[in-house]
Amino acid sequence: MENQEFILISQEGSVGILQINRPKVLNALNLKIINNLVTEMEKMDQDETIRVIVLTGNQRSFAAGADIEEMRNEKTVSMLLKDQFSVWDRISLINKPIIAAVSGFALGGGCELMMNCDMVIASETALIGQPEVKLGIMPGAGGTQRLVKNVGLMKAMEMLLTGDPITAREAKAYGLVNKVVPVECYFAEAMKLAKKIGSMPPVAVQLIKKSAKKAVDQPLESGLQYERNAFYLLFSTEDSKEGMGAFAEKRHPHFTGR
Ligand code: CAA
């Protein structure tokens, strides 16, 4: 595992950890960071020793958005040709759960990156929002779509059109984050959640993740069909025999991922 420019990479047990590391500009996301981040996520997705991914920044900032300096002189055609958001689309193809450990600013692209994760543990200091309107632009990495799906149209409209961030507690009330904890323990709390999910049978975990995501983007009928097929599929895993066998024998299961 090798650190990449602006990304620190590590592993604790079955948890792969990606830390955005560009503190001088509050972890502003330039193209290189997103490219490296997604490539490393894909590597972790292929790595059998990793079952869950934790994505974090630092205490002051998860990520303060796309790099404004990198964008400010762009034109429509150069932006179109760069097609930068196709890299972002690859995040939704990651099979393993991704938990965001968020402290400080999660703004613009930072908020969009957070919403690309499956669960979010936030510190009390987190400030979450889509301030693009204040720059004369708008979210481009899914912000208008995912925010509406996450917090509802009214609240999303307010956040998108004023650009004002909300606090972690407000985000929790709107279901945008799972849990809010003191700043000293947001990362530890995310790791605790990751390790708990990492102890579950990985094939079941991946199929549950995929199935649950169908509920967001697909009609109920096709989601139900996907769920049913995935349910039947799991009966061919050794872990399903181990899980149900351990229950019957009143012992702790040992899941191997087979
Ligand atoms: N891009 C580039 N540089 C950034 C940045 C960004 N998104 N956010 C912060 N920085 C830089 C600042 O320019 C500053 O650099 P210098 O020290 O060289 O001047 C450094 O980080 C520290 O920032 P501040 O001095 O501004 O710190 P602050 O505590 O006073 O304010 C802040 C913090 C409220 C987050 C403020 O920096 C800010 O508003 N940042 C921009 C947030 C934003 O608009 N994000 C959306 C970007 S567009 C986008 O994300 C599009 C998309 O959908 C993909």
Side-chain angles (χ1 to χ4, degrees), residues 31 70-71 73-84:
L31 297 181
E70 192 179 60
M71 283 189 308
N73 294 318
E74 292 285 3
K75 300 268 190 303
T76 299
V77 173
S78 59
M79 287 299 263
L80 262 170
L81 292 176
K82 260 188 198 144
D83 188 24
Q84 59 180 309

Side-chain angles (χ1 to χ4, degrees), residues 205-234:
V205 165
Q206 291 187 24
L207 289 179
I208 290 168
K209 167 173 167 167
K210 269 195 179 162
S211 192
K213 287 181 76 171
K214 303 279 176 203
V216 181
D217 302 321
Q218 292 195 5
L220 181 62
E221 205 44 54
S222 57
L224 287 175
Q225 207 49 59
Y226 181 89
E227 180 191 80
R228 210 156 295 167
N229 289 336
F231 178 79
Y232 297 144
L233 191 68
L234 284 175

Side-chain angles (χ1 to χ4, degrees), residues 105-132:
F105 303 112
L107 301 176
C111 179
E112 289 165 309
L113 187 59
M114 185 194 92
M115 290 191 290
N116 263 288
C117 297
D118 301 303
M119 285 154 283
V120 181
I121 301 296
S123 97
E124 283 166 345
T125 62
L127 276 178
I128 299 166
Q130 298 284 167
E132 288 89 342

Side-chain angles (χ1 to χ4, degrees), residues 104-174:
F105 303 112
L107 301 176
C111 179
E112 289 165 309
L113 187 59
M114 185 194 92
M115 290 191 290
N116 263 288
C117 297
D118 301 303
M119 285 154 283
V120 181
I121 301 296
S123 97
E124 283 166 345
T125 62
L127 276 178
I128 299 166
Q130 298 284 167
E132 288 89 342
V133 68
K134 294 180 181 173
L135 302 170
I137 55 174
M138 63 182 284
T144 61
Q145 304 305 297
R146 293 200 174 91
L147 197 61
V148 170
K149 289 187 182 201
N150 284 326
V151 305
L153 183 58
M154 296 280 173
K155 187 64 189 173
M157 217 43 119
E158 182 190 329
M159 290 173 70
L160 292 162
L161 296 181
T162 64
D164 291 339
I166 58 174
T167 62
R169 296 222 172 276
E170 206 178 348
K172 166 84 170 58
Y174 277 95

